[in-house]
Amino acid sequence: MPPASLPPAQPLGAEGGSSVLWGLHPEPQPKKQGSSFAKLRRKTSFTRSLSDHPVGRDPQAMRTGQRQNKGMRTRLGCLSHKSDSCSDFTAILPDKPNRALKRLSTEEATRWADSFDVLLSHKYGVAAFLAFLKTEFSEENLEFWLACEEFKKTRSTAKLASKAHRIFEEFVDVQAPREVNIDFQTREATRKNMQEPSLTCFDQAQGKVHSLMEKDSYPRFLRSKMYLDLLSQSQRRLS
């Protein structure tokens, strides 16, 4: 008896053919992402709307946050523009600006133009010049000079070395967080001074930075709108 003949196999995917061939399951089809993405977007929007809702928040904390944000925007607005376009001196003047301006006379502010050292000898002159340098993103020069002046007042020999190394690592060393602009020879000479720190170990570097500010930043400060507006404000208080 001849064996029964099998029907011819139809090609996979042909019309009317079987979806399984020789025991192999068809490759699973990718799921559609539209519905899941829509659900996720609705859920995210709902969560965001709940977090933004004022119900349940502390009103006092909200008002405090708004005042802090406003003050921060004022400071960032000044610092994001060039110095000549920033006229609100009081917004970035440290040390209680209103009281500072009341104590500052026109004569004192005018004397700042006599010399750079006269400016540095007046605490409000230092504050004004520091605010100006921040608009030029070079405040590290004055901060280093001030740190050196404070370092020279050190009386404890036990603290002298640690203070010297902190100043060097902060301002002088290569790629320091607030690295000042000095030449290679001055930097290396200061590095050698760190082996045996003394009250004069930063004199050379401090002198270089002082000269740089005096020749470069100080003349621009005297021509800046910030300084001219400060003079104008002090004159209006006298009239």
Side-chain angles (χ1 to χ4, degrees):
M1 182 176 181
S5 59
L6 296 173
Q10 296 185 8
L12 183 64
E15 184 177 357
S18 174
S19 60
V20 179
L21 182 62
W22 304 110
L24 297 178
H25 295 282
E27 187 174 336
Q29 297 297 321
K31 296 181 179 180
K32 294 183 179 180
Q33 302 295 329
S35 58
S36 299
F37 178 78
K39 293 179 180 178
L40 178 61
R41 184 169 59 182
R42 287 195 298 269
K43 181 179 180 181
T44 305
S45 301
F46 178 72
T47 305
R48 187 186 301 115
S49 64
L50 286 179
S51 63
D52 293 339
H53 202 279
V55 176
R57 290 190 178 184
D58 185 359
Q60 181 64 31
M62 292 176 63
R63 288 193 293 270
T64 303
Q66 290 172 356
R67 286 195 299 268
Q68 291 175 346
N69 291 336
K70 182 179 180 181
M72 182 62 68
R73 286 195 298 269
T74 302
R75 290 178 176 86
L76 293 178
C78 284
L79 296 180
S80 63
H81 292 81
K82 293 184 179 179
S83 56
D84 286 349
S85 63
C86 180
S87 60
D88 188 3
F89 175 80
T90 61
I92 54 180
L93 176 67
D95 186 26
K96 300 178 181 178
N98 292 332
R99 186 180 302 176
L101 289 176
K102 289 180 181 179
R103 293 180 179 179
L104 180 64
S105 66
T106 304
E107 181 182 0
E108 289 174 326
T110 303
R111 289 188 61 234
W112 297 350
D114 291 347
S115 71
F116 186 46
D117 288 329
V118 170
L119 172 70
L120 294 179
S121 66
H122 196 279
K123 65 177 181 179
Y124 295 137
V126 171
F129 188 54
L130 179 61
F132 169 78
L133 291 179
K134 286 183 178 180
T135 66
E136 296 196 335
F137 304 100
S138 59
E139 66 272 18
E140 69 278 355
N141 293 322
L142 181 58
E143 290 172 345
F144 170 67
W145 187 89
L146 293 172
C148 292
E149 289 295 293
E150 187 65 26
F151 173 75
K152 293 176 183 178
K153 301 176 184 178
T154 305
R155 293 293 175 263
S156 173
T157 55
K159 296 180 180 179
L160 188 67
S162 60
K163 285 185 177 181
H165 283 285
R166 282 200 302 269
I167 294 175
F168 182 84
E169 293 171 359
E170 183 72 19
F171 295 101
V172 182
D173 203 4
V174 177
Q175 295 184 348
R178 291 184 282 179
E179 182 181 356
V180 293
N181 185 16
I182 55 177
D183 57 271
F184 174 79
Q185 289 78 10
T186 302
R187 195 185 310 277
E188 291 306 305
T190 307
R191 188 189 304 277
K192 291 180 180 178
N193 291 340
M194 293 299 99
Q195 298 175 3
E196 295 182 4
S198 66
L199 294 177
T200 60
C201 62
F202 293 109
D203 283 1
Q204 184 178 353
Q206 186 185 17
K208 293 282 186 179
V209 172
H210 179 282
S211 178
L212 176 65
M213 292 189 295
E214 184 177 26
K215 295 178 180 178
D216 186 41
S217 303
Y218 174 60
R220 286 202 304 275
F221 168 71
L222 297 179
R223 297 192 301 265
S224 69
K225 193 174 186 298
M226 179 186 294
Y227 175 60
L228 297 178
D229 284 351
L230 180 61
L231 287 176
S232 176
Q233 291 175 25
S234 62
Q235 290 170 356
R236 282 199 298 268
R237 288 198 307 274
L238 297 177
S239 59

